[in-house]
Amino acid sequence: RKEVEQDPGPFNVPEGATVAFNCTYSNSASQSFFWYRQDCRKEPKLLMSVYSSGNEDGRFTAQLNRASQYISLLIRDSKLSDSATYLCVVKKAGSQGNLIFGKGTKLSVKP
Amino acid sequence: EPEVTQTPSHQVTQMGQEVILRCVPISNHLYFYWYRQILGQKVEFLVSFYNNEISEKSEIFDDQFSVERPDGSNFTLKIRSTKLEDSAMYFCASRGGIQETQYFGPGTRLLVL
């Protein structure tokens, strides 16, 4: 099983749509989880950290299910500017910051 | 807003040559990292650096790679004898002491011919 696994997409959605991305991770000892976004040929940028209780930041909601080792990201009211690749990221258990990246899910929001 | 910077943005080199990639982390950060991303693939961890020494490295980070923080502001990645498969985007990242968020620089695109 891959350490961090995501559906590669692409997800093609119209503006205003709600879209959900899923991610699974293999190491049950992992403690820290993130969603980053990456625009084409640019650096990853933190979108949000993911907490056990779930967290929301404007149109973005992240959820963590430790029992299923599953992380999700929900984007409501999609904007054209949300078009990017969304990276599920898990900090390696016991490390000082070795981040393990998924391959990413590509989102394209169309007018 | 403070940011991580990297130079050069692009580097082309011949196989077997040495390259040095430079990074200036955010000034009060304590932990520094190098990652790489081969075109079309995922971002991969190379090495982490704290308190002037390597704290962790991946299998990719073999004897051809080294890191240094020569002057308290720069953080460098050296590849001693480049191979074709070293062609990738190399990202530097840094984080503060308590928070876990890593901030990435814009990357150096390395092409080995």
Side-chain angles (χ1 to χ4, degrees), chain B residues 35-100:
Chain B
Y35 292 83
R36 79 170 187 192
Q37 187 174 30
I38 294 170
L39 189 64
Q41 298 190 24
K42 63 179 183 176
V43 178
E44 299 174 288
F45 169 81
L46 292 178
V47 66
S48 59
F49 192 86
Y50 170 71
N51 202 25
N52 282 320
E53 60 183 26
I54 290 174
S55 46
E56 191 177 354
K57 58 185 181 179
S58 72
E59 290 175 355
I60 302 167
F61 194 89
D62 62 21
D63 292 345
Q64 293 302 311
F65 290 87
S66 62
V67 288
E68 246 189 349
R69 189 156 159 78
D71 57 14
S73 62
N74 288 286
F75 179 50
T76 62
L77 174 70
K78 183 194 289 188
I79 309 174
R80 255 180 280 281
S81 177
T82 49
K83 305 183 189 72
L84 296 176
E85 55 265 35
D86 292 328
S87 296
M89 181 76 105
Y90 287 81
F91 294 110
C92 173
S94 70
R95 71 173 176 98
I98 298 173
Q99 59 168 218
E100 291 201 305

